Amino acid sequence: MEYIELIRSAGLTRYESSAYVTLLENGPSTAREISGLGGVPMGKIYEVMSGLEEKGFIDVQKGRPILYRPIRSSVAFGRYFELKRKRSESELDRLKETIAVINASFPRRIDPLRRERVFVSTVMGKEEILDGYTEAFGEAERSIFIISSRKMMDPERSGYHETVVPLLGELLRRVERGIRLHCIDPGTGLKEIVDGKLLSIGEENLRDAVRERIEIRVVDSEYDFCLVDDTLSIIDVADPLTGSIMAIMKIYDSTFNRRLKERFLDVWNG
């Protein structure tokens, strides 16, 4: 029974798993023998054996009666893995093509980000916060603005290294696609970190283009927020006891976000 459950966990059905284990234990067998020994209903046995043949777990000897022989498990599961991999790649290719068509076809007038309506959501949890930032960066069409205060350098708070630093790879991917990145850094050495990340871009022309779209200024400010275009702002919510980031607020409010943009530019140009 434990082998059957183990095989089921790889993606075979209960009856397929039972029939395959029966063949491994008893060798070449007829459908009726497999049904009796493996507990597979006769009304389903031929469908089950056809599924095992399609997945590469058995050989079939045509005749009267038909005989089924198991493929060695190491070989069968290797073939099964390759079959699943190729199918997954094919499905992903089709999905990629479909998404490209959708993105090219959807009229901008039905884009929810274009609707003038205030919307605020909250995300909690370290991984969820990183996912929230990643999703927000994905909405950028022109620019991403990040400003951090000196309190971010407080090791007790450690917010800077919980958010900005782990997300640099995602930010650079957005910049590679044409987004401009503007950062106000309180003196954490962000520019040096970014320069190190840029070295991983092998093509020199692309590396230079990415570097040209990134501007980092070292300024001691009192503000902490991220702004995606003029559409979305992200505000960190600190734990009142430890000071570490416990949540983020994603705010879709054009009036509020314009005020943040003005304050960012005041600090940037100050």
Side-chain angles (χ1 to χ4, degrees):
M1 181 62 71
E2 62 177 312
Y3 296 120
I4 293 174
E5 292 304 314
L6 189 60
I7 292 172
R8 285 187 67 189
S9 69
L12 273 66
T13 69
R14 178 163 63 90
Y15 287 146
E16 286 174 342
S17 303
S18 180
Y20 183 58
V21 169
T22 298
L23 283 172
L24 288 175
E25 292 176 341
N26 297 279
S29 305
T30 66
R32 185 170 297 278
E33 290 169 339
I34 297 167
S35 174
L37 293 171
V40 181
M42 275 302 298
K44 291 184 175 292
I45 189 65
Y46 291 105
E47 177 186 345
V48 169
M49 302 314 292
S50 177
L52 285 173
E53 182 183 13
E54 181 183 345
K55 293 180 174 75
F57 283 88
I58 60 172
D59 281 333
V60 180
Q61 177 181 297
K62 303 297 183 182
R64 289 179 177 271
I66 298 173
L67 276 179
Y68 301 94
R69 172 186 171 276
I71 303 295
R72 185 185 304 170
S73 60
S74 59
V75 175
F77 279 102
R79 290 164 59 177
Y80 182 58
F81 177 84
E82 285 301 311
L83 176 66
K84 298 285 280 187
R85 183 182 63 79
K86 289 177 181 178
R87 285 180 177 175
S88 296
E89 289 176 351
S90 178
E91 290 174 3
L92 286 174
D93 287 341
R94 287 197 298 271
L95 177 60
K96 184 177 181 180
E97 292 173 1
T98 301
I99 290 173
V101 172
I102 290 172
N103 289 337
S105 303
F106 263 42
R108 294 174 68 82
R109 61 183 172 80
I110 65 172
D111 186 341
L113 297 181
R114 296 294 179 269
R115 298 184 182 275
E116 289 293 326
R117 192 167 188 174
V118 175
F119 184 89
V120 179
S121 64
T122 304
V123 179
M124 297 186 67
K126 183 176 180 180
E127 293 301 321
E128 290 77 7
I129 287 172
L130 294 177
D131 288 344
Y133 269 102
T134 299
E135 292 170 6
F137 296 157
E139 295 184 15
E141 295 182 349
R142 299 181 303 279
S143 302
I144 296 173
F145 304 85
I146 298 175
I147 182 170
S148 301
S149 67
R150 182 162 292 278
K151 62 187 175 185
M152 279 292 191
M153 299 175 67
D154 184 347
E156 293 297 321
R157 179 178 175 116
S158 65
Y160 203 79
H161 292 277
E162 289 176 1
T163 53
V164 176
V165 173
L167 289 166
L168 279 179
E170 181 63 29
L171 283 167
L172 290 179
R173 280 190 287 275
R174 297 300 164 187
V175 175
E176 284 184 30
R177 297 173 187 175
I179 300 301
R180 302 195 73 88
L181 175 62
H182 308 268
C183 292
I184 294 177
D185 175 46
T188 64
L190 178 63
K191 187 176 186 306
E192 289 72 21
I193 297 173
V194 169
D195 286 341
K197 291 278 188 181
L198 289 175
L199 293 176
S200 64
I201 301 176
E203 187 179 337
E204 185 176 356
N205 289 339
L206 177 59
R207 184 167 62 247
D208 291 342
V210 170
R211 183 179 285 112
E212 190 274 330
R213 297 188 198 109
I214 298 174
E215 289 189 79
I216 300 173
R217 296 186 182 180
V218 178
V219 180
D220 188 2
S221 82
E222 57 182 308
Y223 305 106
D224 296 294
F225 60 82
C226 174
L227 189 62
V228 176
D229 296 327
D230 298 325
T231 307
L232 165 64
S233 58
I234 307 171
I235 310 295
D236 294 333
V237 180
D239 185 320
L241 298 179
T242 66
S244 63
I245 296 173
M246 62 178 293
I248 59 172
M249 294 175 61
K250 297 171 66 178
I251 304 173
Y252 297 87
D253 181 342
S254 58
T255 301
F256 176 71
N257 292 335
R258 278 195 295 270
R259 288 169 51 209
L260 290 183
K261 177 74 169 294
E262 290 171 1
R263 185 53 51 92
F264 182 95
L265 293 176
D266 286 343
V267 177
W268 183 265
N269 297 319

